[in-house]
DNA sequence: TCCTAAATATGACTAATATCATGTTTTATA
DNA sequence: TATAAAACATGATATTAGTCATATTTAGGA
């Protein structure tokens, strides 16, 4: 469904959404442990996210990663697209070149609507949309 | 979503469902070309499917692969599970160890029902269920 | 201005998938 | 019974995804 890298990206961003702010920056190594992702690897992913304005960062002493208000509006879809490439979610389940109703593969009619609704949800949901649920204890960040 | 291997497996089985019978066996190399999968690779996958009674085969001259009536009842879900392992489809999108309502990850409520309905369809649909659509030209096997 | 703490950039290493190649066994037929 | 055609089994290689390591740049504080 999703690559490990994009799962890690989502976990890191959600962790920052809940625990960080401009005043409370978090070090890469302090993100890696609670979300259970290797340090150097999450650092690399955070840099990619930073380059594309999905997380904010500050170097030097007292620096770290955090989300500003704009960052929190990032859509889940955009994070996944950045890390996994833009057609992992929308491509044909049998790898036909184009997935549409004109030239449907044998599984197209079976999966098209659930695939579409999955993508739709990812396009409608921003990082901050998920944070209230985490804050109120209705869902949990993976250990 | 699915690995290449399981996509290839599905394509091969569907191709056999439409074009083969006990009387009309098909060589591995004559499957590989129309479904656009490397010869040696599809042969390997067909052997795995054969070992688990999802396709039938016969060695020697005049031999090849085909589907018997029982093979055609194989569920799409079983093919994917055989090739990809049994939790690629049902596991948590953020790789939490257990995906359930007791300990939901931040994305669980967002994706649970579409994930469940996707798996449900794969569990309800057999190979032969898809063949009539292909035969009647409502869907197409990938080139 | 110098030192240190942090992100950043880059590349090397490792593991998992995917692909290719080669030899062995089975079966039909001459 | 010899031959050839096919699946079957096994392992080697290549490619990609994931992980680790190291050097560089930036920012704050002494
Ligand atoms: S054409 Fe295959 S899923 Fe749409
Ligand atoms: S717990 Fe993550 S999808 Fe269910």
């Amino acid at each position: 469904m999703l690559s490990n890298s994009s799962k890690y990206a989502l976990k890191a961003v959600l962790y920052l959404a809940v625990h960080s702010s401009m005043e409370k920056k978090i070090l890469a190594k302090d993100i890696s442990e609670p979300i259970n992702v290797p340090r150097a690897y999450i650092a690399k992913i955070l840099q990619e996210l930073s380059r594309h304005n999905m997380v904010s960062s500050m170097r030097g002493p007292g620096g770290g990663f955090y989300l500003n208000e704009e960052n929190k509006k990032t859509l889940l879809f955009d994070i996944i697209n950045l890390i996994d490439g833009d057609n992992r979610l929308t491509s044909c389940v049998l790898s036909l070149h184009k997935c549409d109703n004109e030239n449907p593969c044998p599984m197209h009619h079976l999966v098209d609507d659930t695939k579409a609704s999955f993508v739709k949800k990812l396009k409608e949901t921003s990082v901050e949309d998920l944070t209230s649920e985490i804050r109120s204890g209705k869902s949990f960040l993976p250990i």
Side-chain angles (χ1 to χ4, degrees), chain A:
Chain A
M1 187 100 71
L2 306 179
S3 71
N4 280 340
S5 296
S6 67
K7 291 177 183 187
Y8 295 171
L10 288 167
K11 291 203 281 184
V13 172
L14 289 169
Y15 185 83
L16 286 173
V18 173
H19 294 100
S20 81
S21 66
M22 184 120 47
E23 296 76 39
K24 192 181 167 196
K25 305 183 182 67
I26 306 186
L27 306 186
K29 70 183 168 73
D30 293 332
I31 300 171
S32 97
E33 198 229 324
I35 65 173
N36 199 31
V37 173
R39 300 176 181 200
Y41 197 24
I42 200 59
K44 198 170 206 171
I45 291 170
L46 283 166
Q47 283 155 32
E48 178 82 356
L49 291 167
S50 170
R51 233 175 284 132
H52 290 82
N53 286 317
M54 296 182 186
V55 307
S56 302
S57 64
M58 187 73 143
R59 302 204 226 194
F65 294 94
Y66 64 99
L67 300 194
N68 62 27
E69 290 312 305
E70 194 197 346
N71 297 149
K72 289 180 187 164
K73 297 196 172 15
T74 306
L75 303 176
L76 303 181
F77 184 81
D78 295 329
I79 295 174
I80 296 168
N81 262 5
L82 174 66
I83 307 293
D84 283 348
D86 62 352
N87 56 3
R88 177 149 184 157
L89 291 169
T90 53
S91 65
C92 166
V93 290
L94 293 183
S95 296
L96 202 131
H97 293 308
K98 209 154 155 257
C99 171
D100 57 30
N101 288 315
E102 302 308 306
N103 209 44
C105 78
M107 288 180 66
H108 183 87
H109 298 121
L110 189 69
V111 304
D112 188 44
D113 54 339
T114 86
K115 199 151 63 84
S117 96
F118 181 62
V119 171
K120 184 160 177 281
K121 285 179 182 177
L122 295 176
K123 281 186 179 171
E124 287 171 351
T125 308
S126 68
V127 170
E128 74 183 344
D129 291 335
L130 292 183
T131 54
S132 56
E133 220 187 50
I134 303 172
R135 283 222 175 80
S136 66
K138 285 184 196 137
S139 65
F140 311 92
L141 268 176
I143 45 160

